Amino acid sequence: MNVNKIYPWYFSSGAIVLYLLFIVAPALLGIYYSFTDWNSYSSEKNFIGLEHFRTILAGDPTYLLFIKNTVLFTLITSIAKTVLGLFLALLLVSGVKAANLHRMIIFSPQVLSFLIVGLVFKSLLDPNNGFVNVTLRSLGLDVLAQNWLGSLTWAMPSIMAVDTWKGMGYIMVLFIAGLLAIPRDYYEAASIDGAGFWQKLFRITIPMLMPTITIATVLNITYGLRVFDAVYVLTNGGPGNATDVINTAVYSSFAKGYWGIGSALSTILFVIMAIISFFIIRLMNRKVEY
Amino acid sequence: MRKRFLLSLVGALLLSSLLLAGCNSGKSSEGSGKVTLTFGTSQSGIPRTGIMQTMAKEYEQETGVKIDFQVVPDAQWRDLIKVKLASGEAPDIFNVDVDPLSMPANVRPEENAIDLTNEEFTGRMSEEILPTVSYKEKVYGVSFAPSKIWYVYYNKRIFEELGIQPPTSYAEFKAISQKIKDKDIIPFYQAPASGWYQVLPLFETGPNYEQATPGTYEKLNNNEMKVADLTQLKTVIEQLKEFADLGYFGKDFLSNTVEAGIEAFGQEKAAMLLRVPGTEKEVSEAYPDMKDNMGFFVMPWGDNQTIGVNPGGSAAMFGNKNSKHPEEVLKFFRWITEHDHLQRVFDGGEGNLTICWPEIEPKLTQDYIDYEKNHEKGTVMQAAVKYIDPQWMDIGKDLSGMFAGAMTPDQILQNIDKRRAEQAKVLKDDAWQ
């Protein structure tokens, strides 16, 4: 056997063993468990086929609500983070004063744990003594004061807003890097041709930023689909199940000891993410030509 | 060359396996030969005062056996211990909240717990607690818990100023709440954000359902009737909703937590709240003005006038059957249940007025003794009807949804039945087959 072909495997064998043991095997086991009635009340694991999947996708409307909430959360926060991140990046590269300081301040929520962010915002959004409502009331805007995390109307938008606030700084930094990589020649040539701000934005900036936009979209979507901590800390899925997402349902299933159905929910999430990732990767592979 | 390569590859694989195996070994003993027992518990499973840890240090000095406490937040422990038991990695001693119905399923004692039936101390525990730590006539757990009773505590000063009396029916309860609300005081402190507190009225008033229609509990357990058919329970849920809609829980109460209740009650922002005996001490320590200013009455939702008693519902210690040190675990149980040590646990705790060891003198005041004499008692529904306690937090979420306008009382009852059926199926309950 050709030694040159063997050596790469030889050197990576340890890593491959660890990868198989800690990444591949648990993932495959998780998928296997989703076809069983595995639970904390019995040591038996019986194969039950697609029963859990039937329950989730056809038998119980609550699960469909969790999937709907997850998709809605992903869609809205992805768009919000991308648009706001791009807006802030354009603002900060346009020569605004103390740009680095602003960049640092806007980015800083990204480094905080959502546990901290969640607790802070729970306090700020407290309907009785929270900063937001107290400020609104002190300005005579009582009508705008809401039960932000406790009402059916406002709970999900509040979580989305907090998540967007936390995540947009990271997207902004990506866009700044992308914007700085665009050669200035294009803009100078466009200016000579008489192009205005909007023309430059839509004809030069956004097309040239497409690879960055794609990366930002991938990150936002995969984060959105995996969301757990934001919901768990801020509302724990309430009121009722109004803000529950797939991962809070997975947590809840595991908490109840229903590990089989929890695994099935995780598998469904995995499949959704795999499909979306497939299309995004295909999109990323398309060359953008100018 | 090739042989050498293959040998190296096999060596690398073996080394990885040995490293992984090493990660799982020697979890409870130290290299010196000194025994360390791991003690896993939720935060509320042991007294917050730290008396158990203090006594464990003394135990270590006496015997050389160290107790290593692993204290986990309440919300995580219930899940974590299930996983640890399933994976065979449970601590040598573990605390689990127990009741006679769900303990066998949660602990699976025959597989996981040391049999304590023949220990001298099991004969000294109260007869009320024994069913909650027993399975198939064998005793597996040790508890210090008191029988739990939830009363409505009220502010005597506010009641006197308004000329109102503790209610004995729902209509009276509503009437006094309106008078309190008219004085800009929150009539009743409710705490849905904690997830479990709002569920208490539904099942603590269970003895009332049983008294109205004897045999209700048995029918529910035999799946001969649905929870949805329990009209009295539906009435209680509707009354809770009415209280919410009338503003008797205060404005925007959905964000309230249990922990903040003492503050609201102590600062006289709320006139009533649900608590257990011993509350007077906790409140008056934080708010001295409240001393001798607290009274209590049985919760009057659904016109209930029966005291609901939960014989278990709190944590009990179990010895891990798969522990490497079962004898040391037993020795610790024998030591901690000696009379003087029980007394110290009781005295050094947060203020419980009773303990499930008859040899320890309770601290119930005459008020409580008289009140209990004048009222009938019964077992709360979650301790007598299967598959209620395990879905407690789910019901809490449903009730929050109802308060917010997302669910109806009928939907809540149907959800309870649906979840009961799910769990019965998991446990292969004959009555549901």
Side-chain angles (χ1 to χ4, degrees):
Chain A
M1 194 182 281
N2 188 343
V3 172
N4 287 334
K5 282 187 179 173
I6 292 169
Y7 263 111
W9 290 102
Y10 172 59
F11 284 118
S12 55
S13 60
I16 289 171
V17 168
L18 292 175
Y19 171 70
L20 290 173
L21 272 173
F22 292 112
I23 308 289
V24 177
L28 292 176
L29 269 177
I31 293 170
Y32 166 70
Y33 288 142
S34 66
F35 296 104
T36 70
D37 63 354
W38 187 34
N39 61 73
S40 64
Y41 305 105
S42 163
S43 48
E44 289 175 25
K45 296 183 191 77
N46 301 308
F47 187 81
I48 55 164
L50 293 168
E51 195 176 319
H52 290 318
F53 294 94
R54 268 196 292 272
T55 306
I56 294 165
L57 298 172
D60 190 337
T62 324
Y63 288 114
L64 294 179
L65 173 71
F66 302 156
I67 294 172
K68 186 185 128 196
N69 282 347
T70 309
V71 172
L72 201 68
F73 178 91
T74 306
L75 198 68
I76 291 175
T77 56
S78 295
I79 293 169
K81 283 181 205 170
T82 307
V83 171
L84 287 169
L86 180 59
F87 171 75
L88 289 166
L90 286 168
L91 206 66
L92 291 180
V93 296
S94 66
V96 72
K97 281 185 181 175
N100 282 340
L101 178 69
H102 291 304
R103 190 188 302 184
M104 189 190 77
I105 291 169
I106 296 167
F107 182 77
S108 59
Q110 184 62 36
V111 300
L112 296 173
S113 148
F114 218 111
L115 187 67
I116 307 295
V117 170
L119 290 173
V120 168
F121 270 90
K122 265 186 108 163
S123 167
L124 293 175
L125 296 172
D126 183 277
N128 299 310
N129 307 312
F131 175 79
V132 175
N133 277 2
V134 168
T135 307
L136 287 170
R137 286 182 188 124
S138 67
L139 293 171
L141 299 168
D142 296 48
V143 71
L144 295 180
Q146 304 291 337
N147 189 356
W148 300 106
L149 298 171
S151 81
L152 293 175
T153 314
W154 290 104
M156 192 49 121
S158 299
I159 299 170
M160 288 174 182
V162 175
D163 184 72
T164 303
W165 172 84
K166 186 177 184 299
M168 68 185 180
Y170 184 69
I171 302 302
M172 174 198 74
V173 169
L174 287 182
F175 281 135
I176 288 173
L179 286 171
L180 293 176
I182 299 174
R184 309 309 302 165
D185 306 6
Y186 292 105
Y187 293 104
E188 285 163 12
S191 294
I192 290 167
D193 290 343
F197 171 79
W198 294 108
Q199 281 176 311
K200 285 181 198 168
L201 179 69
F202 287 108
R203 301 287 174 98
I204 301 172
T205 309
I206 290 181
M208 295 292 277
L209 269 181
M210 274 319 284
T212 315
I213 291 173
T214 311
I215 290 168
T217 307
V218 172
L219 291 172
N220 285 336
I221 288 176
T222 50
Y223 175 81
L225 290 171
R226 286 185 293 115
V227 65
F228 170 75
D229 43 11
V231 176
Y232 185 72
V233 177
L234 287 168
T235 62
N236 194 19
N241 295 114
T243 56
D244 261 317
V245 288
I246 295 176
N247 271 336
T248 55
V250 170
Y251 179 80
S252 169
S253 298
F254 273 81
K256 283 186 227 165
Y258 299 164
W259 298 330
I261 201 157
S263 301
L265 274 164
S266 301
T267 303
I268 287 172
L269 184 61
F270 170 75
V271 170
I272 293 173
M273 288 181 79
I275 292 169
I276 290 173
S277 301
F278 172 77
F279 283 110
I280 290 172
I281 287 166
R282 285 197 61 169
L283 194 72
M284 282 176 79
N285 285 339
R286 284 169 61 186
K287 287 186 180 171
V288 181
E289 290 181 13
Y290 308 102
Chain B
M1 181 71 190
R2 191 176 170 188
K3 194 177 172 187
R4 220 171 109 198
F5 163 73
L6 286 171
L7 279 172
S8 306
L9 189 63
V10 170
L13 289 169
L14 272 173
L15 185 64
S16 305
S17 309
L18 285 170
L19 279 171
L20 290 168
C23 292
N24 195 31
S25 66
K27 61 186 174 185
S28 62
S29 59
E30 292 174 358
S32 61
K34 184 178 169 183
V35 172
T36 297
L37 297 178
T38 49
F39 189 131
T41 178
S42 59
Q43 278 175 328
S44 63
I46 53 172
R48 290 191 299 274
T49 56
I51 183 69
M52 286 287 283
Q53 288 92 328
T54 304
M55 291 173 71
K57 278 182 188 148
E58 290 172 23
Y59 182 69
E60 185 183 355
Q61 284 170 354
E62 278 183 35
T63 62
V65 176
K66 187 182 174 189
I67 312 284
D68 177 24
F69 286 88
Q70 298 168 0
V71 184
V72 177
D74 292 345
Q76 294 167 22
W77 178 247
R78 197 182 269 215
D79 320 329
L80 187 63
I81 188 61
K82 278 181 193 161
V83 178
K84 280 182 172 286
L85 286 170
S87 62
E89 292 180 355
D92 299 301
I93 301 166
F94 55 92
N95 263 341
V96 176
D97 282 350
V98 291
D99 66 74
L101 299 170
S102 57
M103 187 281 280
N106 288 337
V107 177
R108 284 193 276 146
E110 288 175 312
E111 295 169 49
N112 297 315
I114 296 172
D115 182 1
L116 308 174
T117 315
N118 298 321
E119 292 296 319
E120 177 270 341
F121 56 79
T122 58
R124 289 190 281 119
M125 273 195 281
S126 75
E127 286 182 12
E128 287 81 19
I129 200 75
L130 280 175
T132 71
V133 291
S134 303
Y135 180 59
K136 291 185 179 172
E137 297 181 356
K138 286 185 176 175
V139 180
Y140 290 99
V142 184
S143 179
F144 303 120
S147 293
K148 209 176 258 181
I149 296 170
W150 287 86
Y151 287 117
V152 179
Y153 284 82
Y154 69 95
N155 185 312
K156 285 182 179 173
R157 194 156 41 230
I158 293 173
F159 270 50
E160 276 167 23
E161 279 171 12
L162 295 172
I164 54 181
Q165 295 291 322
T168 55
S169 66
Y170 177 69
E172 288 177 18
F173 195 25
K174 225 172 99 175
I176 66 160
S177 294
Q178 185 59 48
K179 283 188 178 175
I180 297 166
K181 188 182 169 232
D182 291 342
K183 285 284 174 189
D184 279 339
I185 297 169
I186 296 167
F188 190 94
Y189 186 85
Q190 184 58 277
S194 292
W196 57 272
Y197 190 76
Q198 64 272 34
V199 189
L200 289 166
L202 274 63
F203 304 116
E204 292 285 322
T205 55
N208 199 31
Y209 318 147
E210 179 66 19
Q211 278 173 3
T213 317
T216 298
Y217 284 177
E218 198 182 341
K219 280 185 184 168
L220 286 166
N221 280 333
N222 294 332
N223 196 25
E224 289 163 2
M225 74 178 285
K226 302 282 180 201
V227 170
D229 302 328
L230 207 52
T231 50
Q232 301 101 317
L233 177 56
K234 186 181 171 189
T235 302
V236 171
I237 297 173
E238 286 169 344
Q239 289 173 350
L240 283 170
K241 173 72 172 151
E242 189 177 25
F243 253 53
D245 292 344
L246 291 170
Y248 296 162
F249 295 144
K251 194 172 178 286
D252 296 332
F253 68 97
L254 278 168
S255 304
N256 286 356
T257 60
V258 171
E259 292 74 23
I262 292 289
E263 184 185 316
F265 188 61
Q267 293 179 349
E268 306 196 325
K269 290 177 186 167
M272 295 180 275
L273 87 168
L274 276 176
R275 295 288 291 188
V276 293
T279 289
E280 300 91 332
K281 187 181 172 214
E282 195 177 348
V283 174
S284 57
E285 275 175 6
Y287 302 94
D289 283 353
M290 287 295 287
K291 195 170 183 337
D292 301 324
N293 188 36
M294 288 165 274
F296 61 91
F297 54 88
V298 70
M299 49 181 97
W301 278 289
D303 295 334
N304 175 54
Q305 281 301 291
T306 306
I307 299 172
V309 180
N310 190 343
S314 299
M317 297 184 293
F318 294 84
N320 184 352
K321 193 176 181 179
N322 305 307
S323 163
K324 287 181 181 169
H325 309 288
E327 195 50 44
E328 280 80 1
V329 170
L330 282 171
K331 278 181 189 163
F332 176 69
F333 284 175
R334 288 169 195 148
W335 183 86
I336 198 82
T337 53
E338 285 171 14
H339 179 84
D340 292 349
H341 294 143
L342 287 173
Q343 190 69 54
R344 283 188 62 195
V345 172
F346 185 44
D347 293 341
E350 288 98 359
N352 283 332
L353 303 182
T354 57
I355 187 171
C356 59
W357 296 79
E359 67 197 64
I360 305 296
E361 191 72 28
K363 296 174 185 172
L364 286 169
T365 59
Q366 198 59 41
D367 286 348
Y368 285 109
I369 295 166
D370 292 343
Y371 198 87
E372 288 187 27
K373 265 186 199 163
N374 294 327
H375 288 78
E376 284 191 57
K377 284 183 182 175
T379 307
V380 295
M381 192 163 156
Q382 69 269 29
V385 175
K386 291 190 281 190
Y387 317 131
I388 294 293
D389 192 65
Q391 57 167 303
W392 196 271
M393 299 300 275
D394 294 303
I395 300 169
K397 281 187 93 170
D398 285 352
L399 286 170
S400 297
M402 179 187 73
F403 292 142
M407 291 186 81
T408 64
D410 282 324
Q411 285 173 321
I412 291 174
L413 293 168
Q414 283 158 14
N415 272 357
I416 295 171
D417 278 321
K418 190 177 81 180
R419 287 188 291 255
R420 291 188 82 218
E422 275 172 16
Q423 185 151 30
K425 188 178 160 193
V426 165
L427 291 168
K428 299 180 175 65
D429 190 318
D430 289 338
W432 269 262
Q433 300 306 314

